Amino acid sequence: MTSTRIERDSMGELAVAKDALYGAQTQRAINNFPVSHQPMPESFIRALITIKSAAASANVTLGSIPHKMGAAINQVAKDLLADKALMSHFPVDVFQTGSGTSSNMNANEVLANLASRLYDDTVGPNDHINYGQSSNDVIPTCIHVSAAIEIHTKLIPALTHLSEVIKQKANSVNHFVKTGRTHLMDAMPVRFSQSLLSWASQIDQNIVHIQSLQYDLHSLAQGGTAVGTGINAHPNFADEFSQELSQLTGLQFTPAKNFFSHIGSQDIAVSLSGQLKTTAVSIIKIANDLRWMNSGPLAGLGEIELEALQPGSSIMPGKVNPVIPEAAAMVGAQVIGNDTTISIAGQSGNFELNVMLPVIAHNLLNSIELLSNVSVLLADKTIATFVVKEEKLQEALTPNPILVTALNAVIGYEEAAKIAKLAYAQNRAIIDVASEATGMDKQELTKLLDPEKLTHGGI
């Protein structure tokens, strides 16, 4: 049996594991919320510790806590962030009190415990670590800060990499022409590069839209304390805090123009989640195109061959499946589900506080992480490595009756439709049927119906 020590808080005494860095309030949360057995994301905890360090520095500057105490808090925060066992000190379940008070106090207690040892005097979790703060402004701030850091360091680089790989691949396959498809049915020819550059455009648009939200995401609730009025915080705390946090993170954070909106609502997080959902939809589109083009290899389209990464069946020898696009599609589904949760949670801004903050943080960061990771996989293990099967492309391309569309301006739509129907019915190459029906020279028809020429558009 693990030995315990007795800790005290405003509700009384409580037994806590002897070697735990946290105190009574964290232990109460452990006891009260055995829900998912999943703690808050590490990126959230790291941002929370960084916020506490910035707050300590701001409070030193403003004369609210002693310089040596602030230095101790900053040092133990730095040590915690370097601790490989960091998350063992932050066990509070995602599904906790809606304000995230339990996670805030978890950080306050851990930092107070460690700082007291370094300071050689008591550093209080509420009176010192949490000075000038409330869970009600700390946790909304942490949602913005953690998301901003993850977007800057992971998501934007991952999406940029995906876009660049798509463009590189498009350049290398530009000379291949394939049958276009609308409604999953044969349509006019397109170059392989045109299909791929469409994907790159989707990703580039998502990057722009995500970046457009960064200004709002970098505005912080910190300084509003309990309800937005800033009670118990120094008048200059919000500005000093944002400056300190900007130095620690390398990102430019500012106080919110209105603390009440940042504490009572989570509209910015909901907006960001909506854009992550759009990114997920783009990822699903790309994944599905890859799966269709790779389908077969004999009974499907078989236009490309994806890199074989693992056996595809436990019973059918030799079967290989498009595992990365499948994983990407599942990520997309999860992100869309996360967005639904965040949208519902965003509605729970009751008067001066949103009371579903932890689940917003969890799902938002989960979406960012999943999209970041799968974008790199999709780029490196699928798009960069697939091989075009030119013989398969040609089987359906040159004889395709749909090419008769190019003759609309010459013989008219109705006549062209008759030729196409006859070619389908007789299973004959369109150029042969068109030559017989119109009397046009085959050499001229070859020029008019050249698939590569048709990919350039025009009359």
Side-chain angles (χ1 to χ4, degrees):
M1 182 178 295
T2 303
S3 58
T4 61
R5 68 181 192 273
I6 299 299
E7 288 283 345
R8 295 169 181 80
D9 62 10
S10 61
M11 294 186 70
E13 296 183 345
L14 195 68
V16 177
K18 189 173 183 179
D19 57 354
L21 295 181
Y22 50 78
Q25 290 204 44
T26 302
Q27 187 62 52
R28 291 188 194 282
I30 294 171
N31 297 345
N32 289 336
F33 306 115
V35 182
S36 67
H37 304 289
Q38 185 173 5
M40 295 296 290
E42 183 174 348
S43 55
F44 180 88
I45 297 302
R46 299 182 74 84
L48 182 55
I49 294 169
T50 305
I51 285 167
K52 294 297 176 180
S53 181
S57 296
N59 282 325
V60 167
T61 299
L62 298 169
S64 300
I65 63 173
H67 176 82
K68 289 186 178 180
M69 179 184 288
I73 296 169
N74 286 330
Q75 183 59 54
V76 297
K78 184 177 179 180
D79 293 343
L80 266 178
L81 292 173
D83 187 354
K84 293 181 180 180
L86 169 67
M87 292 306 293
S88 65
H89 310 305
F90 296 88
V92 177
D93 201 280
V94 170
F95 299 95
Q96 53 173 287
T97 174
S99 61
T101 299
S102 297
S103 286
N104 184 41
M105 286 308 304
N106 187 176
N108 290 337
E109 289 179 340
V110 170
L111 287 165
N113 187 339
L114 293 172
S116 294
R117 302 175 189 178
L118 194 60
Y119 185 58
D120 285 333
D121 198 355
T122 300
V123 177
N126 295 87
D127 292 335
H128 302 127
I129 306 295
N130 201 60
Y131 189 95
Q133 305 152 63
S134 164
S135 300
N136 297 354
D137 62 352
V138 167
I139 301 303
T141 294
C142 197
I143 291 174
H144 279 212
V145 172
S146 57
I149 291 172
E150 292 298 288
I151 286 170
H152 178 73
T153 60
K154 294 182 180 179
L155 182 58
I156 296 300
L159 291 175
T160 301
H161 176 68
L162 175 57
S163 175
E164 290 174 350
V165 169
I166 293 172
K167 291 171 185 174
Q168 291 166 7
K169 190 69 173 184
N171 185 60
S172 70
V173 298
N174 180 60
H175 58 290
F176 292 113
V177 179
K178 65 190 289 289
T179 300
R181 289 183 180 83
T182 58
H183 305 271
L184 294 180
M185 305 298 285
D186 295 350
M188 293 301 289
V190 296
R191 295 194 305 279
F192 241 100
S193 59
Q194 290 172 322
S195 293
L196 268 65
L197 290 175
S198 169
W199 303 344
S201 178
Q202 286 182 273
I203 299 303
D204 288 344
Q205 288 171 24
N206 282 306
I207 291 171
V208 170
H209 294 155
I210 291 169
Q211 289 177 326
S212 72
L213 293 169
Q214 286 181 308
Y215 175 81
D216 288 335
L217 192 63
H218 289 191
S219 65
L220 305 178
Q222 203 67 57
T225 64
V227 293
T229 60
I231 186 70
N232 285 356
H234 191 286
N236 296 329
F237 178 77
D239 288 327
E240 288 292 336
F241 169 82
S242 290
Q243 290 177 26
E244 295 289 347
L245 186 65
S246 297
Q247 290 181 11
L248 287 173
T249 62
L251 300 178
Q252 190 61 46
F253 291 105
T254 60
K257 293 180 180 178
N258 187 302
F259 291 133
F260 293 93
S261 67
H262 276 52
I263 295 173
S265 76
Q266 281 294 304
D267 290 354
I268 295 170
V270 172
S271 296
L272 175 58
S273 179
Q275 184 52 52
L276 297 178
K277 179 185 70 174
T278 304
T279 306
V281 169
S282 298
I283 293 291
I284 293 172
K285 198 278 185 192
I286 295 169
N288 282 338
D289 281 357
L290 287 163
R291 291 198 289 177
W292 276 108
M293 289 192 294
N294 180 73
S295 62
L298 300 181
L301 299 180
E303 294 177 339
I304 64 173
E305 182 179 340
L306 298 181
E307 179 184 2
L309 296 174
Q310 63 186 58
S313 173
S314 62
I315 191 173
M316 292 177 281
K319 194 173 191 299
V320 178
N321 297 327
V323 292
I324 299 298
E326 288 173 353
M330 286 190 283
V331 163
Q334 182 64 59
V335 171
I336 292 169
N338 286 349
D339 178 65
T340 299
T341 298
I342 291 170
S343 298
I344 294 170
Q347 299 173 41
S348 294
N350 308 136
F351 299 106
E352 278 67 59
L353 179 67
N354 181 287
V355 289
M356 288 197 184
L357 298 176
V359 78
I360 290 174
H362 173 266
N363 282 26
L364 194 64
L365 293 170
N366 180 247
S367 292
I368 294 170
E369 180 181 21
L370 291 175
L371 288 171
S372 300
N373 293 342
V374 87
S375 293
V376 175
L377 289 178
L378 198 59
D380 294 347
K381 293 193 173 185
T382 304
I383 294 169
T385 58
F386 78 71
V387 176
V388 176
K389 300 169 74 174
E390 188 172 13
E391 289 185 7
K392 190 71 172 179
L393 297 182
Q394 292 302 323
E395 286 179 11
L397 185 62
T398 304
N400 199 326
I402 207 70
L403 297 179
V404 79
T405 303
L407 301 181
N408 284 358
V410 179
I411 62 175
Y413 180 92
E414 293 297 333
E415 188 63 27
K418 292 177 184 178
I419 293 171
K421 290 178 181 179
L422 186 60
Y424 279 124
Q426 296 180 352
N427 194 26
R428 296 172 62 199
I430 188 63
I431 193 169
D432 295 332
V433 177
S435 178
E436 293 175 3
T438 65
M440 295 175 67
D441 182 71
K442 276 196 174 183
Q443 188 173 0
E444 182 182 1
L445 283 170
T446 299
K447 292 179 180 179
L448 290 171
L449 301 178
D450 177 20
E452 198 282 331
K453 175 179 175 292
L454 297 177
T455 66
H456 296 281
I459 300 173

